[in-house]
């Protein structure tokens, strides 16, 4: 990749730059959680805040474009005292979408938004709230120089210097960061920095990026193993064996950058209320429980099979990419150490599973 119009931001100038930018837009950065000193999470930048680009945040950055809980609208019911009089519902759209910058996320988080885009923007129905947030957001991803043993982006067609889903790529070098634009929005963002990178800074950034890109070449690709899903679909002994210790707690889905299950609830207070959208999980029994009492996926083995199928079979067959970016959060934070890589890999094994 040829690097054009790259800018340089020194370590010393970083916070001043973020402070200037925060006067115009909301900037989300990875930083330590004051309530949990060892936990890094994405938060809106404020004066005095110290960004932490070294550790992977516990939760992905999807909260920036797809909040865990959000109010979609408010409503008010108007009904006359007569029992048989018609009821009128007044609806108020309360959404005011602010421009945001997601600054310093990993490439895996940026790539995760492509799955959201496919589901919320490119199907027969467009989600207007997500669309407005996406259009007003700029993603500045940082080349990942320290993937750990739980990372497997290289197994799902990505790598630590991937640019998909990003507007600007940020590359750490000794003196600071080299940033280069990937989209028109990214180009406009860099104009606020100026300070063109020198030839030596650009060359150093090139070496950092290439080293990161090659760092996961040894990771086994899951592509071929994922093709075995249809063969394993009806092998319930396999799915029960692979998921016997799963708690169905849903942590894997809540920390995942590509999981977008949600539920809608109306919270009422007398004759008025608000409609809320909240994250949900396909690993929960009640997620597929129908009003009739029937549940098409009543057991955790069936729910986990659906999770694997969605990410590694249904989604790639329809849209040409895995619905998994290999960030490894589901491995790190699973309370019983479920390893999605091992299950996908096992799908292609010839040995039969046992109850």
């Amino acid at each position: 990749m040829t690097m054009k119009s790259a800018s340089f931001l020194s370590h010393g100038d970083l916070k001043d730059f973020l402070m200037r930018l925060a006067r115009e837009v909301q900037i989300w950065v990875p930083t330590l959680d004051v309530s949990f000193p060892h936990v890094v999470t994405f938060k809106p930048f404020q004066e005095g805040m110290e960004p932490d680009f070294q550790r992977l945040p516990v939760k992905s950055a999807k909260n920036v474009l797809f909040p865990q809980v959000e109010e979609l609208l408010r409503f008010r019911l108007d009904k006359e005292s007569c029992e048989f009089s018609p009821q009128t519902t007044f609806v108020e759209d309360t959404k005011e979408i602010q421009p945001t910058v997601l600054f310093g996320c990993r490439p895996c988080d940026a790539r995760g938004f492509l799955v959201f885009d496919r589901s919320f923007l490119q199907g027969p129905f467009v989600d207007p709230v997500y669309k407005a947030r996406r259009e007003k957001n700029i993603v500045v991803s940082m080349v990942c120089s320290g993937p750990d043993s739980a990372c497997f982006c290289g197994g799902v067609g990505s790598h630590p210097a991937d640019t998909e889903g990003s507007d600007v790529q940020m590359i750490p070098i000794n003196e600071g960061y080299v940033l280069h634009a990937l989209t028109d929005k990214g180009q406009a963002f860099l104009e606020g920095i100026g300070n063109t990178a020198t030839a030596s800074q650009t060359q150093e950034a090139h070496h950092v990026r290439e080293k990161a890109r090659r760092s996961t070449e040894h990771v086994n690709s899951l592509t071929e193993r994922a093709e075995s899903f249809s063969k394993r679909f009806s092998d319930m002994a396999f799915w029960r064996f692979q998921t016997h210790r799963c708690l169905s707690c849903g942590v894997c889905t809540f920390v995942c950058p590509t999981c977008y299950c949600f539920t809608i609830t109306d919270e009422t207070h007398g004759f008025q209320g608000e409609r809320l959208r909240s994250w949900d999980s396909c690993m929960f029994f009640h997620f597929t429980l129908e009003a009739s009492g029937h549940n098409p996926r009543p057991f955790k083995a069936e729910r986990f099979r659906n999770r694997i199928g969605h990410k590694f079979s249904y989604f790639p067959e329809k849209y040409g990419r895995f619905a998994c970016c290999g960030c490894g959060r589901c491995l790190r934070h699973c309370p019983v150490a479920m390893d999605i890589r091992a299950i996908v890999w096992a799908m292609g094994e010839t040995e039969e599973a046992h109850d």
Side-chain angles (χ1 to χ4, degrees):
M1 178 188 296
T2 303
M3 196 179 297
K4 297 180 179 179
S5 62
S7 295
F8 173 71
L9 192 60
S10 71
H11 291 300
D13 291 337
L14 174 65
K15 286 203 285 187
D16 286 342
F17 167 71
L18 293 176
M19 278 303 302
R20 291 199 308 272
L21 196 60
R23 298 188 186 106
E24 303 171 5
V25 300
Q26 188 177 61
I27 310 171
W28 290 74
V29 298
T31 187
L32 281 174
D33 191 318
V34 293
S35 302
F36 304 95
H38 302 294
V39 172
V40 174
T41 187
F42 287 101
K43 288 185 175 297
F45 180 79
Q46 299 177 349
E47 186 173 7
M49 182 178 285
E50 197 71 40
D52 187 330
F53 300 124
Q54 300 302 315
R55 287 173 285 186
L56 184 72
V58 171
K59 289 200 294 187
S60 75
K62 67 181 178 183
N63 190 54
V64 176
L65 299 184
F66 188 67
Q68 188 163 351
V69 180
E70 65 176 326
E71 181 184 281
L72 296 178
L73 56 86
R74 294 177 185 169
F75 56 87
R76 177 171 57 84
L77 307 178
D78 192 5
K79 182 178 174 60
E80 297 181 2
S81 57
C82 176
E83 180 180 356
F84 301 105
S85 64
Q87 176 176 283
T88 304
T89 303
F90 297 93
V91 175
E92 177 187 0
D93 183 359
T94 60
K95 302 305 295 183
E96 291 186 8
I97 306 300
Q98 296 182 342
T100 56
V101 174
L102 174 58
F103 192 87
C105 70
R106 302 287 179 95
C108 48
D109 276 338
R111 187 180 169 93
F113 289 131
L114 299 182
V115 176
F116 276 73
D117 291 348
R118 178 64 254 180
S119 301
F120 288 96
L121 301 180
Q122 299 165 10
F125 303 101
V126 173
D127 187 297
V129 179
Y130 177 83
K131 181 174 185 291
R133 282 206 182 91
R134 190 68 159 124
E135 290 176 347
K136 293 187 176 183
N137 172 257
I138 294 175
V139 177
V140 181
S141 66
M142 171 94 77
V143 166
C144 177
S145 56
D148 61 27
S149 59
C151 296
F152 60 102
C153 59
V156 293
S158 182
H159 54 80
D162 200 339
T163 58
E164 285 198 296
S166 301
D167 296 297
V168 175
Q169 187 177 52
M170 182 175 175
I171 306 170
I173 62 175
N174 286 332
E175 298 175 335
Y177 308 93
V178 171
L179 300 94
H180 68 105
L182 303 167
T183 66
D184 291 341
K185 285 197 296 185
Q187 185 62 48
F189 177 82
L190 288 193
E191 289 172 1
I193 299 178
N195 196 23
T196 302
T198 65
S200 62
Q201 290 166 341
T202 301
Q203 187 65 21
E204 183 181 352
H206 173 76
H207 289 311
V208 171
R209 187 177 58 196
E210 286 304 301
K211 182 180 178 182
R213 185 183 63 79
R214 295 194 301 270
S215 65
T216 57
E217 288 180 344
H218 65 285
V219 176
N220 292 325
S221 171
L222 297 178
T223 302
E224 186 176 338
R225 296 295 178 134
E227 293 173 355
S228 301
F229 177 77
S230 57
K231 183 186 70 176
R232 284 290 189 185
F233 182 84
S234 59
D235 184 357
M236 288 311 300
F238 171 83
W239 296 108
R240 283 193 291 271
F241 176 77
Q242 294 293 341
T243 62
H244 70 278
R245 66 177 186 273
C246 173
L247 304 177
S248 289
C249 66
V251 163
C252 52
T253 61
F254 276 61
V255 299
C256 176
T258 66
C259 283
Y260 50 79
C261 290
F262 64 85
T263 190
I264 300 287
T265 54
D266 286 346
E267 304 293 330
T268 58
H269 317 283
F271 289 98
Q272 58 187 358
E274 59 271 347
R275 175 159 295 180
L276 304 179
R277 172 160 62 183
S278 310
W279 292 357
D280 207 336
S281 171
C282 63
M283 290 305 299
F284 293 162
F285 172 84
H286 292 91
F287 183 70
T288 49
L289 181 62
E290 300 169 2
S292 66
H294 171 66
N295 193 334
R297 293 195 288 270
F299 302 108
K300 64 183 181 183
E302 295 162 326
R303 295 193 290 273
F304 206 94
R305 180 184 64 181
N306 176 71
R307 176 171 164 78
I308 296 285
H310 173 72
K311 292 184 176 301
F312 295 96
S313 182
Y314 313 144
F315 200 92
E317 284 181 7
K318 292 185 68 175
Y319 306 123
R321 68 168 66 245
F322 287 135
C324 171
C325 54
C327 69
R329 287 185 175 92
C330 57
L331 283 69
R332 293 184 190 88
H333 304 297
C334 176
V336 293
M338 297 281 289
D339 188 336
I340 196 170
R341 300 170 302 184
I343 295 174
V344 174
W345 194 256
M347 290 194 309
E349 299 288 345
T350 55
E351 183 179 353
E352 294 297 324
H354 301 286
D355 279 321

